[in-house]
Amino acid sequence: MRSETFPLGFRLMDRNDAELAEEQSIVRQCIGGRQEAYAVLVRRYQEMVYNVAYRMVGDTEAAKDIAQESFISAYSGLRGFRSDARFSTWLYRIVMNKCQDHLRKERPHVPVEEMAESVASTRNNPEQELRRSQTIARLQSALDLLPAGYREVIILKHMEGLSYEEMEKVLGVKAGALKVKTHRAREMLKKVMKEEGILDG
Amino acid sequence: MDKDKDRELMHRLLDGELSAEEQRDALRRIGSDPALKEEFELLARTVRSVEEAERVPVEGSFVSEVMARLPGQRPGTARRLRDFLFRDRVLRWNVAWAAVALALVLLVTGGLFLTANRLTPVVATNSAGNTVLTRFTFHDPDAEAVSLAGDFNRWSVKEGAMKRKEGGLWTIEIPLKPGTYNYMFVVDGKVWVTDPEAGVYRDDGFGNRNSIIRVSTL
Protein backbone atom coordinates (compact mmCIF):
# COMPACT_ATOMS: atom_id res chain seq x y z
CA MET A 1 0.00 0.00 0.00
CA ARG A 2 1.39 3.33 -1.02
CA SER A 3 1.63 5.90 1.67
CA GLU A 4 -0.04 8.62 -0.39
CA THR A 5 -3.32 6.75 -0.20
CA PHE A 6 -3.54 7.75 3.45
CA PRO A 7 -5.32 10.99 4.20
CA LEU A 8 -2.84 12.21 6.75
CA GLY A 9 -2.73 15.78 5.50
CA PHE A 10 -3.62 18.41 8.04
CA ARG A 11 -5.14 21.70 7.32
CA LEU A 12 -3.24 24.49 8.93
CA MET A 13 -5.98 26.38 10.66
CA ASP A 14 -3.76 28.48 12.89
CA ARG A 15 -4.39 32.05 12.12
CA ASN A 16 -1.37 34.19 12.53
CA ASP A 17 -0.83 36.44 15.48
CA ALA A 18 -1.41 39.61 13.52
CA GLU A 19 -4.87 38.46 12.56
CA LEU A 20 -5.65 37.51 16.17
CA ALA A 21 -4.50 40.91 17.40
CA GLU A 22 -6.59 42.56 14.70
CA GLU A 23 -9.66 40.62 15.73
CA GLN A 24 -9.21 41.60 19.35
CA SER A 25 -8.93 45.20 18.26
CA ILE A 26 -12.12 44.89 16.21
CA VAL A 27 -13.94 43.34 19.16
CA ARG A 28 -12.83 46.23 21.39
CA GLN A 29 -14.06 48.73 18.83
CA CYS A 30 -17.44 47.03 18.60
CA ILE A 31 -17.78 47.07 22.38
CA GLY A 32 -16.81 50.75 22.30
CA GLY A 33 -19.77 51.43 20.02
CA ARG A 34 -18.23 51.30 16.55
CA GLN A 35 -20.76 48.91 15.14
CA GLU A 36 -19.46 49.16 11.57
CA ALA A 37 -16.18 47.48 12.57
CA TYR A 38 -18.12 44.25 13.00
CA ALA A 39 -18.58 43.96 9.23
CA VAL A 40 -14.95 42.86 8.94
CA LEU A 41 -15.59 39.85 11.18
CA VAL A 42 -18.85 38.99 9.43
CA ARG A 43 -17.16 39.10 6.05
CA ARG A 44 -14.25 37.01 7.28
CA TYR A 45 -16.35 34.23 8.81
CA GLN A 46 -19.58 34.28 6.82
CA GLU A 47 -18.61 31.35 4.62
CA MET A 48 -17.42 29.27 7.56
CA VAL A 49 -20.52 29.87 9.67
CA TYR A 50 -22.91 29.42 6.76
CA ASN A 51 -21.30 26.16 5.65
CA VAL A 52 -21.22 24.69 9.14
CA ALA A 53 -24.92 25.52 9.49
CA TYR A 54 -25.72 24.09 6.06
CA ARG A 55 -23.93 20.82 6.78
CA MET A 56 -25.66 20.55 10.15
CA VAL A 57 -29.24 21.24 9.06
CA GLY A 58 -29.04 20.28 5.37
CA ASP A 59 -31.13 23.20 4.18
CA THR A 60 -29.74 26.37 2.65
CA GLU A 61 -32.55 28.70 3.74
CA ALA A 62 -32.46 27.52 7.35
CA ALA A 63 -28.66 27.67 7.24
CA LYS A 64 -28.74 31.30 6.19
CA ASP A 65 -31.08 32.22 9.05
CA ILE A 66 -28.99 30.31 11.55
CA ALA A 67 -25.78 31.89 10.26
CA GLN A 68 -27.21 35.41 10.49
CA GLU A 69 -28.62 34.80 13.95
CA SER A 70 -25.25 33.41 15.03
CA PHE A 71 -23.50 36.62 14.04
CA ILE A 72 -26.14 38.71 15.78
CA SER A 73 -25.88 36.64 18.96
CA ALA A 74 -22.10 36.86 18.83
CA TYR A 75 -22.34 40.62 18.52
CA SER A 76 -24.79 40.94 21.40
CA GLY A 77 -22.51 38.88 23.59
CA LEU A 78 -19.22 40.54 22.65
CA ARG A 79 -18.74 41.87 26.17
CA GLY A 80 -18.67 38.32 27.46
CA PHE A 81 -16.11 37.25 24.88
CA ARG A 82 -12.79 36.43 26.49
CA SER A 83 -10.06 38.32 24.71
CA ASP A 84 -7.64 35.40 24.95
CA ALA A 85 -10.06 33.14 23.10
CA ARG A 86 -10.35 32.92 19.37
CA PHE A 87 -13.30 34.63 17.82
CA SER A 88 -13.72 31.68 15.45
CA THR A 89 -13.90 29.19 18.35
CA TRP A 90 -16.59 31.27 19.92
CA LEU A 91 -18.50 31.51 16.66
CA TYR A 92 -18.34 27.75 16.16
CA ARG A 93 -19.88 27.28 19.59
CA ILE A 94 -22.69 29.72 18.88
CA VAL A 95 -23.54 28.31 15.47
CA MET A 96 -23.46 24.71 16.75
CA ASN A 97 -25.84 25.60 19.59
CA LYS A 98 -28.20 27.32 17.16
CA CYS A 99 -28.11 24.29 14.86
CA GLN A 100 -28.92 21.96 17.75
CA ASP A 101 -31.83 24.21 18.77
CA HIS A 102 -33.09 24.20 15.21
CA LEU A 103 -32.81 20.42 14.87
CA ARG A 104 -34.59 19.85 18.18
CA LYS A 105 -37.48 21.92 16.93
CA GLU A 106 -37.50 20.68 13.36
CA ARG A 107 -37.19 16.94 13.62
CA PRO A 108 -37.09 14.20 16.19
CA HIS A 109 -33.80 12.69 17.17
CA VAL A 110 -33.22 9.42 15.34
CA PRO A 111 -31.57 6.81 17.57
CA VAL A 112 -28.51 5.03 16.26
CA GLU A 113 -30.33 1.68 16.02
CA GLU A 114 -32.87 3.10 13.60
CA MET A 115 -30.18 4.40 11.34
CA ALA A 116 -29.65 1.17 9.47
CA GLU A 117 -33.38 0.96 8.75
CA SER A 118 -33.56 4.49 7.44
CA VAL A 119 -30.53 3.82 5.30
CA ALA A 120 -32.11 0.68 3.88
CA SER A 121 -35.33 2.51 3.06
CA THR A 122 -33.48 5.07 1.02
CA ARG A 123 -31.93 2.42 -1.19
CA ASN A 124 -35.02 1.79 -3.28
CA ASN A 125 -33.68 3.51 -6.34
CA PRO A 126 -30.71 1.42 -7.45
CA GLU A 127 -30.78 2.63 -11.06
CA GLN A 128 -30.22 6.17 -10.09
CA GLU A 129 -26.81 7.14 -11.30
CA LEU A 130 -25.48 9.93 -9.18
CA ARG A 131 -23.12 12.13 -11.03
CA ARG A 132 -20.01 13.77 -9.76
CA SER A 133 -21.59 17.22 -9.92
CA GLN A 134 -23.95 16.14 -7.17
CA THR A 135 -21.17 15.56 -4.67
CA ILE A 136 -22.35 18.25 -2.29
CA ALA A 137 -25.87 16.88 -2.14
CA ARG A 138 -24.73 13.29 -1.93
CA LEU A 139 -22.42 13.94 0.95
CA GLN A 140 -25.17 15.92 2.61
CA SER A 141 -27.62 13.08 2.22
CA ALA A 142 -25.15 10.83 4.01
CA LEU A 143 -24.49 13.39 6.74
CA ASP A 144 -28.24 13.83 7.23
CA LEU A 145 -28.49 10.17 8.15
CA LEU A 146 -26.10 10.58 11.07
CA PRO A 147 -27.29 11.65 14.52
CA ALA A 148 -26.66 15.39 14.98
CA GLY A 149 -23.94 14.73 17.57
CA TYR A 150 -21.96 12.63 15.09
CA ARG A 151 -22.51 15.13 12.29
CA GLU A 152 -21.18 17.83 14.59
CA VAL A 153 -17.82 16.15 15.24
CA ILE A 154 -17.39 15.14 11.59
CA ILE A 155 -17.96 18.74 10.45
CA LEU A 156 -15.61 20.27 13.00
CA LYS A 157 -12.91 17.64 12.57
CA HIS A 158 -12.90 17.07 8.85
CA MET A 159 -14.53 20.06 7.20
CA GLU A 160 -13.21 22.72 9.53
CA GLY A 161 -9.98 20.89 10.35
CA LEU A 162 -10.08 21.52 14.10
CA SER A 163 -7.92 19.60 16.53
CA TYR A 164 -9.58 17.64 19.35
CA GLU A 165 -8.37 20.32 21.77
CA GLU A 166 -10.06 23.06 19.74
CA MET A 167 -13.20 20.93 19.50
CA GLU A 168 -13.16 20.62 23.29
CA LYS A 169 -13.35 24.41 23.55
CA VAL A 170 -16.18 24.59 21.02
CA LEU A 171 -18.32 21.75 22.34
CA GLY A 172 -17.42 21.80 26.02
CA VAL A 173 -16.72 18.06 25.97
CA LYS A 174 -13.36 16.52 26.90
CA ALA A 175 -11.00 15.83 24.00
CA GLY A 176 -10.74 12.13 24.92
CA ALA A 177 -14.49 11.66 24.74
CA LEU A 178 -14.63 13.58 21.46
CA LYS A 179 -12.00 11.31 19.99
CA VAL A 180 -14.08 8.21 20.74
CA LYS A 181 -17.18 9.92 19.40
CA THR A 182 -15.37 10.94 16.21
CA HIS A 183 -14.17 7.36 15.66
CA ARG A 184 -17.74 6.09 15.97
CA ALA A 185 -19.06 8.89 13.77
CA ARG A 186 -16.55 8.00 11.05
CA GLU A 187 -17.50 4.34 11.23
CA MET A 188 -21.16 5.19 10.84
CA LEU A 189 -20.51 7.64 8.01
CA LYS A 190 -18.42 5.01 6.25
CA LYS A 191 -21.25 2.49 6.60
CA VAL A 192 -23.87 4.96 5.34
CA MET A 193 -21.74 6.09 2.41
CA LYS A 194 -20.95 2.53 1.46
CA GLU A 195 -24.59 1.49 1.57
CA GLU A 196 -25.62 4.56 -0.39
CA GLY A 197 -23.00 3.77 -3.00
CA ILE A 198 -21.30 7.10 -2.46
CA LEU A 199 -17.87 5.57 -2.07
CA ASP A 200 -18.05 3.64 -5.33
CA GLY A 201 -15.63 4.66 -8.04
CA MET B 1 -4.95 -8.46 17.46
CA ASP B 2 -8.69 -8.16 17.96
CA LYS B 3 -11.04 -6.20 15.77
CA ASP B 4 -11.60 -3.31 18.15
CA LYS B 5 -7.89 -2.79 18.55
CA ASP B 6 -7.40 -2.80 14.79
CA ARG B 7 -10.18 -0.31 14.42
CA GLU B 8 -8.73 2.03 17.01
CA LEU B 9 -5.36 1.74 15.34
CA MET B 10 -6.86 2.81 12.02
CA HIS B 11 -8.54 5.83 13.55
CA ARG B 12 -5.41 6.90 15.36
CA LEU B 13 -3.53 6.55 12.10
CA LEU B 14 -6.13 8.77 10.41
CA ASP B 15 -5.77 11.33 13.18
CA GLY B 16 -2.01 11.36 12.77
CA GLU B 17 -1.52 10.37 16.37
CA LEU B 18 1.01 7.59 15.83
CA SER B 19 4.75 7.97 16.06
CA ALA B 20 6.77 7.19 12.94
CA GLU B 21 7.51 3.71 14.24
CA GLU B 22 3.90 3.01 15.25
CA GLN B 23 2.75 4.26 11.89
CA ARG B 24 5.05 1.87 10.07
CA ASP B 25 3.82 -1.04 12.17
CA ALA B 26 0.20 -0.03 11.66
CA LEU B 27 0.60 0.16 7.89
CA ARG B 28 2.29 -3.21 7.86
CA ARG B 29 -0.48 -4.71 9.98
CA ILE B 30 -3.25 -3.24 7.78
CA GLY B 31 -1.48 -4.16 4.56
CA SER B 32 -1.07 -7.79 5.65
CA ASP B 33 -4.82 -8.39 5.99
CA PRO B 34 -6.97 -7.87 2.84
CA ALA B 35 -10.20 -7.36 4.84
CA LEU B 36 -8.50 -4.84 7.09
CA LYS B 37 -6.95 -3.13 4.09
CA GLU B 38 -10.32 -2.78 2.40
CA GLU B 39 -11.88 -1.42 5.56
CA PHE B 40 -9.14 1.11 5.99
CA GLU B 41 -9.38 2.25 2.39
CA LEU B 42 -13.12 2.79 2.77
CA LEU B 43 -12.56 4.73 5.96
CA ALA B 44 -9.85 6.85 4.36
CA ARG B 45 -12.08 7.52 1.36
CA THR B 46 -14.93 8.52 3.65
CA VAL B 47 -12.75 11.02 5.48
CA ARG B 48 -11.33 12.37 2.26
CA SER B 49 -14.76 12.90 0.73
CA VAL B 50 -15.65 15.07 3.73
CA GLU B 51 -12.35 16.94 3.72
CA GLU B 52 -12.61 17.69 0.03
CA ALA B 53 -16.26 18.71 0.16
CA GLU B 54 -16.91 21.93 -1.67
CA ARG B 55 -18.02 24.99 0.25
CA VAL B 56 -21.45 26.31 -0.54
CA PRO B 57 -21.15 29.96 -1.61
CA VAL B 58 -22.72 32.67 0.53
CA GLU B 59 -25.11 35.23 -0.96
CA GLY B 60 -23.51 38.59 -1.66
CA SER B 61 -25.98 40.43 0.56
CA PHE B 62 -25.13 38.40 3.66
CA VAL B 63 -22.89 40.95 5.38
CA SER B 64 -25.20 43.90 4.84
CA GLU B 65 -28.19 41.87 6.02
CA VAL B 66 -26.40 40.95 9.25
CA MET B 67 -25.24 44.53 9.80
CA ALA B 68 -28.79 45.80 9.30
CA ARG B 69 -30.09 43.38 11.91
CA LEU B 70 -27.59 44.19 14.66
CA PRO B 71 -29.12 45.55 17.84
CA GLY B 72 -28.69 49.29 18.27
CA GLN B 73 -26.24 50.89 20.62
CA ARG B 74 -27.35 52.90 23.62
CA PRO B 75 -24.88 55.76 23.71
CA GLY B 76 -25.00 58.76 26.04
CA THR B 77 -26.89 61.95 25.23
CA ALA B 78 -23.84 63.83 23.98
CA ARG B 79 -22.90 60.95 21.76
CA ARG B 80 -26.44 60.66 20.44
CA LEU B 81 -26.56 64.36 19.64
CA ARG B 82 -23.21 64.15 17.90
CA ASP B 83 -24.31 61.09 15.97
CA PHE B 84 -27.50 62.82 14.96
CA LEU B 85 -25.61 65.79 13.62
CA PHE B 86 -22.73 63.97 12.02
CA ARG B 87 -23.92 60.53 11.17
CA ASP B 88 -23.63 59.19 7.65
CA ARG B 89 -27.08 59.36 6.18
CA VAL B 90 -28.02 56.41 4.09
CA LEU B 91 -31.55 56.43 2.84
CA ARG B 92 -33.12 53.72 0.78
CA TRP B 93 -35.64 54.91 -1.74
CA ASN B 94 -38.36 53.33 -3.68
CA VAL B 95 -40.62 55.07 -6.14
CA ALA B 96 -43.42 55.71 -3.68
CA TRP B 97 -41.17 57.26 -1.08
CA ALA B 98 -39.36 59.27 -3.71
CA ALA B 99 -42.70 60.70 -4.83
CA VAL B 100 -43.67 61.56 -1.27
CA ALA B 101 -40.30 63.16 -0.64
CA LEU B 102 -40.43 65.12 -3.85
CA ALA B 103 -43.89 66.39 -2.97
CA LEU B 104 -42.61 67.47 0.43
CA VAL B 105 -39.63 69.22 -1.07
CA LEU B 106 -41.87 71.05 -3.53
CA LEU B 107 -44.24 71.99 -0.78
CA VAL B 108 -41.59 73.35 1.52
CA THR B 109 -39.32 75.04 -0.95
CA GLY B 110 -41.78 75.84 -3.69
CA GLY B 111 -39.68 73.92 -6.14
CA LEU B 112 -36.57 75.90 -5.32
CA PHE B 113 -34.57 72.74 -4.67
CA LEU B 114 -36.08 70.51 -7.26
CA THR B 115 -32.98 68.38 -7.54
CA ALA B 116 -31.92 68.78 -3.95
CA ASN B 117 -32.79 65.34 -2.67
CA ARG B 118 -29.23 64.66 -1.71
CA LEU B 119 -28.59 61.32 -0.12
CA THR B 120 -24.85 61.29 -0.09
CA PRO B 121 -23.45 61.40 3.40
CA VAL B 122 -23.00 65.08 3.87
CA VAL B 123 -22.19 67.05 6.96
CA ALA B 124 -22.51 70.75 6.90
CA THR B 125 -20.60 71.78 9.98
CA ASN B 126 -20.91 75.45 9.23
CA SER B 127 -20.50 77.81 6.41
CA ALA B 128 -17.20 79.59 6.79
CA GLY B 129 -16.21 82.04 4.11
CA ASN B 130 -19.24 80.90 2.18
CA THR B 131 -18.01 77.30 1.95
CA VAL B 132 -19.50 74.23 3.54
CA LEU B 133 -17.34 71.47 4.93
CA THR B 134 -18.74 68.44 3.17
CA ARG B 135 -18.00 64.87 4.08
CA PHE B 136 -17.96 62.04 1.57
CA THR B 137 -17.84 58.41 2.65
CA PHE B 138 -17.35 55.24 0.72
CA HIS B 139 -17.26 51.66 1.95
CA ASP B 140 -14.73 49.26 0.46
CA PRO B 141 -12.61 47.21 2.87
CA ASP B 142 -10.65 45.60 0.06
CA ALA B 143 -9.39 48.84 -1.49
CA GLU B 144 -5.76 49.91 -1.08
CA ALA B 145 -6.56 53.53 -1.81
CA VAL B 146 -9.67 55.53 -2.60
CA SER B 147 -9.85 59.10 -3.82
CA LEU B 148 -12.63 61.52 -4.53
CA ALA B 149 -12.67 63.09 -7.97
CA GLY B 150 -15.16 65.65 -9.21
CA ASP B 151 -15.86 69.05 -10.70
CA PHE B 152 -14.42 70.63 -7.57
CA ASN B 153 -10.90 69.24 -8.10
CA ARG B 154 -10.92 69.06 -11.89
CA TRP B 155 -11.46 65.29 -11.67
CA SER B 156 -8.02 64.79 -10.25
CA VAL B 157 -7.33 61.24 -9.18
CA LYS B 158 -4.57 62.37 -6.84
CA GLU B 159 -5.89 65.40 -4.99
CA GLY B 160 -8.84 63.93 -3.14
CA ALA B 161 -7.14 61.05 -1.33
CA MET B 162 -9.56 59.62 1.21
CA LYS B 163 -8.61 58.34 4.63
CA ARG B 164 -9.29 54.78 5.63
CA LYS B 165 -11.10 54.15 8.86
CA GLU B 166 -11.89 50.91 10.63
CA GLY B 167 -14.14 48.56 8.76
CA GLY B 168 -12.99 49.74 5.36
CA LEU B 169 -14.86 53.02 5.50
CA TRP B 170 -13.12 55.73 3.47
CA THR B 171 -13.82 59.36 4.25
CA ILE B 172 -12.80 62.83 3.19
CA GLU B 173 -14.01 66.28 4.12
CA ILE B 174 -13.65 69.10 1.66
CA PRO B 175 -14.89 72.69 1.71
CA LEU B 176 -17.35 73.35 -1.11
CA LYS B 177 -19.14 76.48 -2.16
CA PRO B 178 -22.89 76.09 -2.48
CA GLY B 179 -23.71 74.59 -5.84
CA THR B 180 -24.16 71.32 -7.64
CA TYR B 181 -21.22 69.03 -8.27
CA ASN B 182 -20.53 65.85 -10.19
CA TYR B 183 -18.20 63.35 -8.54
CA MET B 184 -17.05 59.75 -8.47
CA PHE B 185 -14.82 57.63 -6.28
CA VAL B 186 -11.60 56.22 -7.71
CA VAL B 187 -10.54 52.90 -6.22
CA ASP B 188 -6.84 51.99 -6.33
CA GLY B 189 -6.21 54.79 -8.79
CA LYS B 190 -8.00 53.12 -11.66
CA VAL B 191 -11.52 51.91 -11.01
CA TRP B 192 -14.14 54.63 -11.18
CA VAL B 193 -17.12 53.96 -8.98
CA THR B 194 -20.41 55.81 -8.81
CA ASP B 195 -21.39 56.61 -5.21
CA PRO B 196 -23.98 53.95 -4.41
CA GLU B 197 -25.50 56.27 -1.86
CA ALA B 198 -25.88 59.32 -4.04
CA GLY B 199 -29.47 60.38 -4.55
CA VAL B 200 -29.00 61.91 -7.95
CA TYR B 201 -27.02 60.65 -10.90
CA ARG B 202 -26.21 62.04 -14.29
CA ASP B 203 -24.79 60.29 -17.32
CA ASP B 204 -21.24 61.42 -17.91
CA GLY B 205 -21.40 60.89 -21.65
CA PHE B 206 -18.76 58.13 -21.43
CA GLY B 207 -21.10 55.33 -20.47
CA ASN B 208 -20.86 55.93 -16.74
CA ARG B 209 -22.96 57.79 -14.28
CA ASN B 210 -21.65 60.58 -12.14
CA SER B 211 -22.99 61.05 -8.68
CA ILE B 212 -24.42 64.47 -8.06
CA ILE B 213 -24.19 66.40 -4.84
CA ARG B 214 -25.89 69.65 -4.10
CA VAL B 215 -24.38 71.77 -1.38
CA SER B 216 -26.37 74.51 0.20
CA THR B 217 -25.88 76.67 3.26
CA LEU B 218 -28.54 75.42 5.58
Side-chain angles (χ1 to χ4, degrees), chain B residues 176-191:
Chain B
L176 288 176
K177 287 183 180 172
T180 305
Y181 301 92
N182 295 271
Y183 68 95
M184 283 182 92
F185 297 116
V186 189
V187 177
D188 297 336
K190 50 184 189 289
V191 184

Side-chain angles (χ1 to χ4, degrees), chain A residues 116-136:
Chain A
E117 284 172 39
S118 75
V119 171
S121 69
T122 59
R123 294 178 65 200
N124 53 10
N125 196 356
E127 292 99 3
Q128 195 175 9
E129 184 68 26
L130 297 171
R131 284 166 295 147
R132 194 172 169 74
S133 64
Q134 292 174 308
T135 313
I136 290 179

Side-chain angles (χ1 to χ4, degrees), chain A residues 16-201:
Chain A
N16 60 41
D17 292 345
E19 199 166 273
L20 273 177
E22 190 206 355
E23 288 185 358
Q24 282 160 10
S25 150
I26 292 169
V27 169
R28 277 196 298 273
Q29 288 173 44
C30 293
I31 293 171
R34 285 186 50 84
Q35 200 173 57
E36 63 271 25
Y38 194 59
V40 178
L41 296 179
V42 180
R43 191 167 288 110
R44 184 171 294 168
Y45 292 113
Q46 56 178 339
E47 197 191 68
M48 173 194 106
V49 171
Y50 175 68
N51 273 271
V52 165
Y54 170 63
R55 292 304 187 180
M56 278 304 287
V57 302
D59 173 55
T60 51
E61 270 307 301
K64 188 183 152 190
D65 288 345
I66 289 169
Q68 293 202 348
E69 280 161 24
S70 298
F71 278 112
I72 292 162
S73 291
Y75 182 83
S76 302
L78 275 181
R79 283 172 199 280
F81 172 63
R82 283 175 33 232
S83 59
D84 58 333
R86 266 190 203 169
F87 188 71
S88 59
T89 306
W90 199 52
L91 264 182
Y92 278 128
R93 186 156 65 210
I94 292 170
V95 69
M96 280 306 187
N97 283 337
K98 293 225 180 279
C99 288
Q100 294 284 11
D101 288 347
H102 175 85
L103 292 170
R104 263 195 291 278
K105 270 184 278 176
E106 292 300 308
R107 60 178 170 189
H109 171 69
V110 182
V112 178
E113 307 83 61
E114 287 177 24
M115 272 303 148
E117 284 172 39
S118 75
V119 171
S121 69
T122 59
R123 294 178 65 200
N124 53 10
N125 196 356
E127 292 99 3
Q128 195 175 9
E129 184 68 26
L130 297 171
R131 284 166 295 147
R132 194 172 169 74
S133 64
Q134 292 174 308
T135 313
I136 290 179
R138 288 196 306 172
L139 175 62
Q140 192 57 43
S141 70
L143 284 173
D144 281 348
L145 292 170
L146 300 188
Y150 280 4
R151 203 152 60 236
E152 194 169 64
V153 292
I154 291 284
I155 290 168
L156 291 179
K157 182 74 195 160
H158 294 302
M159 284 185 173
E160 301 304 313
L162 299 193
S163 66
Y164 289 116
E165 288 67 32
E166 286 168 316
M167 285 163 70
E168 179 176 317
K169 286 182 197 154
V170 172
L171 300 172
V173 176
K174 289 277 172 226
L178 286 173
K179 223 175 267 190
V180 174
K181 195 174 185 182
T182 305
H183 293 183
R184 288 183 185 150
R186 279 184 200 143
E187 288 292 339
M188 180 177 266
L189 184 62
K190 183 189 78 177
K191 183 166 175 278
V192 168
M193 289 178 93
K194 193 179 165 195
E195 286 173 354
E196 295 282 287
I198 296 172
L199 292 175
D200 299 343

